[in-house]
Amino acid sequence: MKKELFAAILLFALLAGGAFNTRFLDGFTGELSGELAVSEARCRAGDYDGALELADKAHEKWHSREAYTGIFIRHTEIDAVTYGFHELIGALETEPESALAMYAALEGHVRSLYEMERVTAASVF
């Protein structure tokens, strides 16, 4: 009976940890997406300095969670988001008009982090 109880507790802990991870990732990617959306709006309005400032802020937030992302997110996805930030920031610094095309790709990478981790019927079966 002790083995079954331990297995049930372990299963519950794994499910709770997975749910917490998904919820945290949703919030984290939502924050990044929100900052990128405001940065994009500023870029469209011609406020390239403001767009760069917000993109840098989102990039810093991304890097502040390296301990988390290095454990819970696939490294290819980490690289895609990191490279997307570097390309966007580089474009905003040198050719801000060309940066608008990069927002959609980076936003897609950021939101896909949550979409891939989210539990759906298709991902279970």
Side-chain angles (χ1 to χ4, degrees):
M1 183 67 177
K2 288 182 182 180
K3 290 180 184 177
E4 290 84 6
L5 181 61
F6 179 74
I9 291 171
L10 184 59
L11 179 62
F12 176 75
L14 289 171
L15 291 173
F20 174 78
N21 178 51
T22 303
R23 186 173 176 93
F24 176 81
L25 190 58
D26 183 34
F28 177 54
T29 58
E31 288 176 26
L32 290 176
S33 294
E35 289 180 7
L36 287 171
V38 175
S39 175
E40 181 180 11
R42 286 194 178 177
C43 187
R44 286 189 188 284
D47 180 12
Y48 301 122
D49 290 334
L52 177 60
E53 182 181 328
L54 286 170
D56 276 332
K57 184 178 174 185
H59 184 236
E60 288 173 16
K61 186 174 285 187
W62 169 251
H63 278 295
S64 74
R65 300 282 193 240
E66 280 181 332
Y68 169 80
T69 59
I71 295 170
F72 292 103
I73 298 177
R74 292 172 196 87
H75 293 290
T76 55
E77 299 303 319
I78 293 170
D79 291 343
V81 173
T82 301
Y83 294 148
F85 271 116
H86 291 175
E87 289 174 359
L88 175 64
I89 290 169
L92 285 169
E93 289 174 338
T94 58
E95 299 176 38
E97 299 83 18
S98 68
L100 284 173
M102 297 176 187
Y103 280 101
L106 180 55
E107 172 75 22
H109 283 304
V110 168
R111 287 310 298 169
S112 74
L113 297 175
Y114 168 71
E115 294 299 324
M116 288 189 306
E117 295 298 321
R118 189 171 58 109
V119 177
T120 62
S123 69
V124 174
F125 300 107

